[in-house]
Amino acid sequence: MNLWSISFAYRLGLGFHALNNEGADGSNLMQPRRIDVGNVTYDGISGEIIRHHILEHFVNICREENIPMLPLSEGLHPDRGPIGIRAAAKTIEDKELTKERLYSSVRKSIELCSVLDVGGYLAAWKEQEAEAKYTAEKNYLDSNCVKYKDAEPVKRESCFDVAWLISENPQDLTITQHSAFRDTFTMNSRYAQTMRSNVYGGIIRADLHRIGTDDYWYLQDKKPRLTITLDEQKKRQVALIQAIANFVASPSGAKTAGWAPHVFLTEGAILLTSSRTAPFCSPIKVSLNDKNTPVSADLGYADSMTKLDNKKDTWVWTFKDVSGLIEASISIPN
């Protein structure tokens, strides 16, 4: 099996945005995410929120391409892992999940659901004893009623990893304050928005060869590791690549409904390899010896990655704008 793996190293210029404003402190104060390096504070956008929005793009592509998903996975339900395994058990007429029967249902869930396959999950069965909080969830569970007995926790690691975005330049720790009141007599505004503006560097890496595979295949007699056809595997691989590219082309995150980011820079390098986990060169370099600017841009990252291109088992594409990114992401599967 070829160890297909892909990495995206990229720089984004984001102005007037709130992608990193994820924590609330009071009713009208919003605390941005921050990364402290030494004594200097930098702007940060968490990898977890980037992951979520990549999965949103992935779901949309799967709908368009008729790539299979289970209903609650399509909605990115937080308990989609254990619920999906129980739904898969019902399709193979397994009424009880035991230690012996669990793995066949786990395998079936990967076949039935590309979101569980690509996004990963943790199925800690004891947590499922609690009564469903939402009517839609409860109805779905009732219609897919499969009991479990002595079933061990199972998990699947995500097929892609996302690093935090970190600003190339320091940014003071500030808060955003919202109020409808304005003192028109003294012109003292009580409505203030401190929006962020910086250039950020980030990394995303995906192990494409893991897509469609069964993590527990070795515990089942004579079961192949791949649960789907090669054609279906490629469709899911292409969908993930496109989802990652879609996020970089149009970054989204917290509060984008009212604070859509102004993107003024999109550049990067994409490396695909068939022989190892995809290497990358970070667009950010850190020097703790420099107390004033411990973080700075590494503008040679794309050239360093390009030097790894040998047209045999490693290929590299670079882009300087959104159109170049889209063109590269479309050409990669070919």
Side-chain angles (χ1 to χ4, degrees):
M1 180 177 65
N2 287 341
L3 299 179
W4 289 104
S5 183
I6 193 169
S7 62
F8 288 69
Y10 60 104
R11 296 173 71 228
L12 289 176
L14 303 175
F16 305 106
H17 74 91
L19 300 186
N20 53 337
N21 291 357
E22 300 163 1
D25 184 12
S27 60
N28 67 333
L29 298 179
M30 184 167 289
Q31 197 81 318
R33 293 293 180 96
R34 290 293 179 268
I35 301 175
D36 290 334
V37 182
N39 296 321
V40 183
T41 298
Y42 292 87
D43 215 13
I45 302 173
S46 75
E48 189 56 37
I49 196 169
I50 296 173
R51 270 182 49 81
H52 181 83
H53 287 278
I54 288 174
L55 283 175
E56 285 189 344
H57 285 293
F58 181 75
V59 166
N60 291 334
I61 294 170
C62 288
R63 288 196 194 107
E64 295 173 0
E65 300 297 328
N66 294 318
I67 299 173
M69 296 179 287
L70 291 171
L72 293 186
S73 295
E74 187 174 355
L76 297 180
H77 192 286
D79 287 330
R80 57 186 176 268
I83 294 173
I85 293 172
R86 294 171 71 178
K90 187 178 180 182
T91 65
I92 57 178
E93 298 184 351
D94 202 343
K95 300 301 181 182
E96 188 174 66
L97 294 178
T98 63
K99 290 181 180 179
E100 294 75 19
R101 301 174 183 174
L102 173 63
Y103 299 116
S104 59
S105 298
V106 170
R107 180 183 182 86
K108 189 67 175 179
S109 70
I110 298 301
E111 176 188 340
L112 294 175
C113 185
S114 56
V115 178
L116 296 183
D117 179 14
V118 168
Y121 60 83
L122 172 64
W125 301 105
K126 290 183 180 180
E127 296 179 2
Q128 296 303 308
E129 294 287 357
E131 184 177 354
K133 297 180 181 179
Y134 304 102
T135 302
E137 178 187 349
K138 189 175 188 303
N139 291 341
Y140 185 77
L141 285 172
D142 288 344
S143 64
N144 292 280
C145 185
V146 175
K147 297 180 180 180
Y148 50 89
K149 181 179 180 181
D150 300 328
E152 296 180 349
V154 289
K155 70 174 182 176
R156 178 172 177 81
E157 299 292 345
S158 172
C159 291
F160 69 101
D161 301 312
V162 180
W164 275 59
L165 283 171
I166 182 173
S167 64
E168 296 178 354
N169 296 303
Q171 196 140 51
D172 293 335
L173 179 61
T174 59
I175 56 177
T176 61
Q177 183 173 351
H178 309 273
S179 174
F181 175 74
R182 179 180 175 87
D183 186 346
T184 56
F185 293 99
T186 63
M187 299 304 293
N188 182 18
S189 177
R190 297 291 189 272
Y191 184 88
Q193 294 181 339
T194 305
M195 296 186 183
R196 320 310 302 157
S197 182
N198 223 312
V199 176
Y200 302 80
I203 296 293
I204 302 171
R205 182 160 58 191
D207 290 330
L208 302 175
H209 64 276
R210 289 190 54 238
I211 294 177
T213 60
D214 180 5
D215 291 333
Y216 300 96
W217 64 278
Y218 59 92
L219 296 176
Q220 302 166 74
D221 186 32
K222 297 181 180 179
K223 292 286 187 181
R225 189 168 186 178
L226 189 64
T227 69
I228 55 180
T229 65
L230 290 174
D231 288 342
E232 181 67 23
Q233 183 189 41
K234 184 174 181 180
K235 288 178 65 177
R236 296 186 186 187
Q237 291 171 338
V238 171
L240 178 56
I241 293 172
Q242 293 298 320
I244 295 172
N246 287 352
F247 171 82
V248 177
S250 182
S252 54
K255 295 184 68 64
T256 52
W259 299 38
H262 294 230
V263 182
F264 57 86
L265 173 67
T266 304
E267 68 163 50
I270 307 171
L271 184 147
L272 177 70
T273 179
S274 62
S275 59
R276 62 182 62 86
T277 300
F280 60 84
C281 181
S282 174
I284 292 291
K285 57 183 177 182
V286 179
S287 176
L288 296 179
N289 293 325
D290 188 342
K291 294 183 179 180
N292 295 322
T293 55
V295 172
S296 60
D298 185 353
L299 300 180
Y301 74 101
D303 290 337
S304 297
M305 291 177 65
T306 301
K307 292 177 182 178
L308 299 174
D309 190 335
N310 59 19
K311 297 295 189 295
K312 295 179 180 178
D313 62 1
T314 304
W315 301 263
V316 177
W317 296 261
T318 60
F319 55 93
K320 295 292 185 180
D321 50 32
V322 172
S323 61
L325 166 64
I326 295 174
E327 181 179 351
S329 65
I330 293 174
S331 66
I332 287 171
N334 300 320

